[in-house]
Amino acid sequence: MFFFKQKNVYVEIKKKKNLRTIWEPNAKGVVSLSENSIYYYDLIDSSEPKLISSAKLEAKGQPKFTNCKWNSHHNNSQIATCNDTAIRGWDLKSMKQCFVIESSHNQFVRDIDFNPNKQYYLASVGDDCKTKFWDIRKTNESLKTLTNHSHWIWSVRYNSVHDQLVLTGSSDNKVALSAISSLSSEPFKTVVNEENDNETKLVAEPDKLVKIYEDHEDSVYSVEWSSVDPWIFASLSYDGRLIINKVPKEEKFRILL
């Protein structure tokens, strides 16, 4: 079950084995995820939540949802879910699947995140120790794969302003900060040639691992960017330790200048 406050009224929604609840980016609705069902509620039109639509996961075996993420593009009308090694996109109006990546990882997929500035791009992480980047229009093959960790990866987050910056947290006790410029909204950098009348040209920015943070002594289960300062992020480990870090100054100035 979960609770929320709407118009000073506390409402309790009881769902059997509710696994995860995510708020719509514009705060007009909420999605509740159970083991094999999705429920989409409207919070605006009444003092109590109104069930708008729902869907049930149908696949081979006994599939169970494990995670979900709202897609802030497409007028907030889509979410993506994880089950086993699959990633599925759902249209909340029709509750039909709009894309499927059947074998996104060789093992369990743990987390996903949509690029905030490129509407068709998605990042995923899993128990195969890999971070993968996808174009949801072409799901037969990933665009890029990173191997920055040596154990399960639990969390992945795009920077909301500079989407080339991607964070991952893993059971190897490490946080990895990567700069994936080739798949970002800023793939090129303007370079000035002072020897040729200050002529400018666009140069492709290389993808790279910016830094590995090794401050934790236990598995890192969550990473999040600051909503106020795009250069600050937090990581949370199994032992309850919350650590605040910054993007290295060299990388910050490289992006800004």
Side-chain angles (χ1 to χ4, degrees), residues 123-142:
S124 65
V125 293
D127 286 0
D128 57 2
C129 314
K130 295 178 181 179
T131 304
K132 292 189 175 184
F133 297 86
W134 305 88
D135 183 335
I136 60 175
R137 298 167 297 182
K138 302 175 182 179
T139 60
N140 58 317
E141 186 177 4
S142 62

Side-chain angles (χ1 to χ4, degrees), residues 5-256:
K5 187 178 181 182
Q6 173 70 11
K7 297 181 181 179
N8 296 320
V9 177
Y10 284 95
V11 183
E12 177 184 355
I13 301 176
K14 295 183 178 179
K15 287 297 173 188
K16 189 175 182 180
K17 294 184 179 180
N18 178 62
L19 298 177
R20 189 170 178 83
T21 302
I22 55 173
W23 288 88
E24 190 171 354
N26 58 18
K28 292 183 179 179
V30 67
V31 163
S32 171
L33 201 69
S34 68
E35 284 190 345
N36 57 7
S37 297
I38 304 170
Y39 303 92
Y40 178 36
Y41 295 92
D42 176 25
L43 307 181
I44 298 299
D45 295 335
S46 64
S47 60
E48 294 189 0
K50 178 183 178 182
L51 181 62
I52 299 176
S53 57
S54 63
K56 189 172 183 178
L57 177 61
E58 296 180 356
K60 294 181 180 179
Q62 296 179 330
K64 295 181 180 180
F65 288 125
T66 55
N67 208 341
C68 61
K69 186 73 63 169
W70 214 292
N71 185 350
S72 59
H73 304 289
H74 309 290
N75 198 29
N76 298 318
S77 63
Q78 294 181 8
I79 65 167
T81 60
C82 307
N83 70 281
D84 197 19
T85 62
I87 301 171
R88 304 174 189 275
W90 301 82
D91 184 301
L92 292 174
K93 295 180 179 179
S94 64
M95 275 301 180
K96 294 182 179 180
Q97 294 182 33
C98 49
F99 71 86
V100 180
I101 309 173
E102 286 290 357
S103 299
S104 60
H105 289 261
N106 295 330
Q107 299 179 44
F108 204 81
V109 55
R110 292 285 177 181
D111 196 19
I112 52 177
D113 197 27
F114 283 95
N115 186 314
N117 300 326
K118 300 194 73 173
Q119 62 178 328
Y120 298 111
Y121 282 21
L122 171 79
S124 65
V125 293
D127 286 0
D128 57 2
C129 314
K130 295 178 181 179
T131 304
K132 292 189 175 184
F133 297 86
W134 305 88
D135 183 335
I136 60 175
R137 298 167 297 182
K138 302 175 182 179
T139 60
N140 58 317
E141 186 177 4
S142 62
L143 300 173
K144 191 177 186 65
T145 300
L146 305 180
T147 55
N148 295 331
H149 294 282
S150 59
H151 207 265
W152 303 345
I153 308 177
W154 289 85
S155 183
V156 59
R157 290 294 181 273
Y158 277 102
N159 187 296
S160 61
V161 179
H162 306 288
D163 55 283
Q164 65 267 53
L165 297 177
V166 179
L167 287 171
T168 52
S170 167
S171 297
D172 62 7
N173 308 348
K174 299 175 183 178
V175 174
L177 172 62
S178 303
I180 312 300
S181 300
S182 65
L183 302 178
S184 74
S185 58
E186 301 173 354
F188 301 102
K189 184 176 182 178
T190 302
V191 177
V192 179
N193 187 347
E194 297 179 355
E195 297 179 357
N196 190 13
D197 297 326
N198 290 330
E199 182 183 62
T200 61
K201 62 178 181 179
L202 294 178
V203 178
E205 286 281 273
D207 296 339
K208 63 180 181 179
L209 173 64
V210 176
K211 184 175 180 179
I212 293 288
Y213 297 82
E214 301 183 73
D215 308 295
H216 289 281
E217 298 177 357
D218 213 330
S219 299
V220 180
Y221 283 142
S222 182
V223 291
E224 288 289 350
W225 289 99
S226 167
S227 60
V228 178
D229 188 329
W231 310 109
I232 295 177
F233 62 89
S235 54
L236 180 66
S237 55
Y238 178 75
D239 57 8
R241 192 177 185 191
L242 176 69
I243 296 178
I244 309 298
N245 267 308
K246 292 183 177 181
V247 174
K249 288 184 178 180
E250 297 80 6
E251 185 66 18
K252 175 181 178 180
F253 292 143
R254 186 194 64 79
I255 293 174
L256 293 177

